Amino acid sequence: MKIGIDAKWLFRGPPSGARAVRQIVDGLTAVAPEHELHLFLDARARRSGTSYPVPDTRRHDVWARNNQLSNLFAVPRRANRLRLDAVVYQNFVPPPAFAHHARIAFVHDAIFASHPEFFTRRERLYFAPLRVLAASADRVCTGSVSERERLVRLRYAESGRVDVVPLAIDPSFGPLDRLDPGETGRTLHGLGVTLPFVLFVSRLDPRKNVATLVRAMARVRTTGLSLVIAGAGDAAPGKRAAAEIGMTGRIRWTGSVTDSQLGALYAAATVFCFPSYDEGFGLPPLEAMAAGTPVVVSNIPALAETCGDAAVYVDPHDGSSIAAAIDALAGDDARRAILREAGFRRAAEFTVERTARALLASVHRAVASRS
């Protein structure tokens, strides 16, 4: 079978998106070498000298200034010429008339539809066609059961056509004793980070609830504990909150970080806190678990499903709840050790092989539905 992957995020896109695509491709090449894998890449990406387990002849540059339009026109046109059997698209799939192949829409979440208040008007307009396009796909994939339920409830797809494909953890993330101490120290110093610290990782946008986390840190009693916020996006609300309560000196905003820097941050943190209002999956807490760091997360469906019994759950609207959870973990070595072991076990379930096999099963269903 000839399978195409919309991999435009691989070399040019959000870091979490790049890691997700990388794990999909790595997994498929490992578990299904008999299939011919083709990658569609952003023509603007600089990837000279990169090594990847797909031959150059199966790496195709496409126009990608707008991901939606690229998936509607540029990718299917090239896929049709290549006579592919199926293509896995990120979010947007082309209409049936535009594609001669099975179309699988990997819809990461529809939070913009259930919580439009977290999105700008421009973002809502961008995602507006997704419902109609996803409903026309041969199969729809998403990362969690809770997100599948949202997609069905909002009529993005019928229940029988939605497959759950949990994302995988990058195997490069590991505990502190697996990292080079000197390199880790230099990384943290370069980022301006000092121990001990609470870590938050994600793109900064309203639903990530960073301002509440900042205010919660003012209630944390553990001596010397700072907050490190890693991620690109709009930091202004969080910085305003920090200034209002005199917390500016206890918070380090790193901006975007590389995967190696992120690995050092995950492993060195005392506590990882992720008080997001809503998620479709929740990869950062799992990455923190893989690095041996105890996790505090929101008590929302996707995170409960993803993290299981390996996290402490808090009300994302309640700063005192967040602060109390951070203090309880930071001051209790025994409890951190218990969560550390639970986190290792939980994270070990999210492998690239599991992701690849679930996605491959969806691809086979999509192809079979067209025959």
Side-chain angles (χ1 to χ4, degrees):
M1 187 184 300
K2 297 169 69 174
I3 304 171
I5 303 293
D6 170 15
K8 296 189 290 294
W9 290 344
L10 192 58
F11 298 107
R12 188 185 178 96
S16 59
R19 291 198 298 278
V21 171
R22 186 166 64 238
Q23 301 317 313
I24 287 172
V25 176
D26 285 348
L28 287 175
T29 55
V31 307
E34 70 278 13
H35 295 308
E36 185 176 304
L37 200 62
H38 291 254
L39 304 185
F40 297 101
L41 301 164
D42 190 327
R44 299 169 296 171
R46 295 182 180 180
R47 52 191 175 86
S48 59
T50 57
S51 176
Y52 218 70
V54 175
D56 283 346
T57 54
R58 289 194 252 132
R59 297 165 68 170
H60 313 288
D61 290 338
V62 295
W63 178 89
R65 291 189 180 277
N66 179 293
N67 190 59
Q68 178 196 108
L69 295 179
S70 178
N71 283 12
L72 291 183
F73 302 106
V75 174
R77 186 181 303 121
R78 182 70 66 88
N80 289 342
R81 289 205 299 266
L82 292 166
R83 298 180 182 276
L84 301 190
D85 298 292
V87 175
V88 179
Y89 292 87
Q90 305 298 333
N91 289 321
F92 302 100
V93 296
F98 291 9
H100 303 155
H101 50 266
R103 299 157 301 120
I104 300 92
F106 204 123
V107 179
H108 295 272
D109 64 73
I111 297 172
F112 59 89
S114 56
H115 290 288
E117 68 274 17
F118 296 143
F119 295 82
T120 65
R121 183 174 181 273
R122 181 176 181 179
E123 288 169 333
R124 295 195 300 271
L125 286 173
Y126 173 77
F127 283 114
L130 184 54
R131 178 186 279 112
V132 172
L133 294 172
S136 77
D138 297 294
R139 301 296 297 184
V140 174
C141 295
T142 196
S144 65
V145 172
S146 59
E147 191 58 38
R148 178 178 66 186
E149 291 172 351
R150 179 177 5 223
L151 293 174
V152 172
R153 184 175 71 252
L154 297 177
R155 300 197 300 274
Y156 280 73
E158 298 172 355
S159 178
R161 289 194 302 107
V162 185
D163 301 310
V164 176
V165 180
L167 299 179
I169 300 171
D170 191 316
S172 67
F173 294 136
L176 204 55
D177 56 16
R178 263 181 43 189
L179 306 181
D180 178 82
E183 183 61 32
T184 300
R186 286 188 291 273
T187 297
L188 296 179
H189 178 75
L191 292 171
V193 173
T194 56
L195 303 177
F197 65 93
V198 175
L199 177 65
F200 169 88
V201 173
S202 188
R203 179 168 180 80
L204 307 183
D205 61 47
R207 78 180 158 95
K208 300 301 181 179
N209 199 23
V210 172
T212 300
L213 175 57
V214 167
R215 294 188 181 95
M217 282 300 296
R219 303 182 184 186
V220 170
R221 299 178 179 179
T222 305
T223 304
L225 197 61
S226 61
L227 173 63
V228 175
I229 297 176
D234 183 9
K239 289 184 175 181
R240 283 196 300 270
E244 289 168 3
I245 58 177
M247 283 289 296
T248 302
R250 287 182 61 189
I251 302 175
R252 174 64 182 143
W253 306 80
T254 70
S256 295
V257 293
T258 65
D259 283 357
S260 62
Q261 290 173 324
L262 183 55
L265 288 171
Y266 276 139
T270 302
V271 175
F272 179 83
C273 189
F274 195 68
S276 177
Y277 288 129
D278 202 356
E279 293 292 325
F281 181 70
L283 191 57
L286 288 173
E287 292 172 340
M289 289 179 191
T293 298
V295 165
V296 175
V297 299
S298 304
N299 56 357
I300 58 175
L303 294 182
E305 178 184 341
T306 302
C307 298
D309 63 356
V312 174
Y313 294 93
V314 296
D315 180 352
H317 301 275
D318 184 357
S320 61
S321 167
I322 296 169
I326 291 172
D327 268 329
L329 282 178
D332 190 337
D333 291 345
R335 192 178 183 198
R336 284 207 312 277
I338 291 170
L339 270 185
R340 172 186 170 91
E341 293 306 315
F344 283 145
R345 291 192 297 272
R346 189 66 176 179
E349 298 176 21
F350 294 85
T351 65
V352 294
E353 291 79 10
R354 178 190 181 191
T355 298
R357 292 189 190 283
L359 181 58
L360 190 60
S362 186
V363 170
H364 280 297
R365 292 185 192 106
V367 172
S369 71
R370 295 171 62 88
S371 60

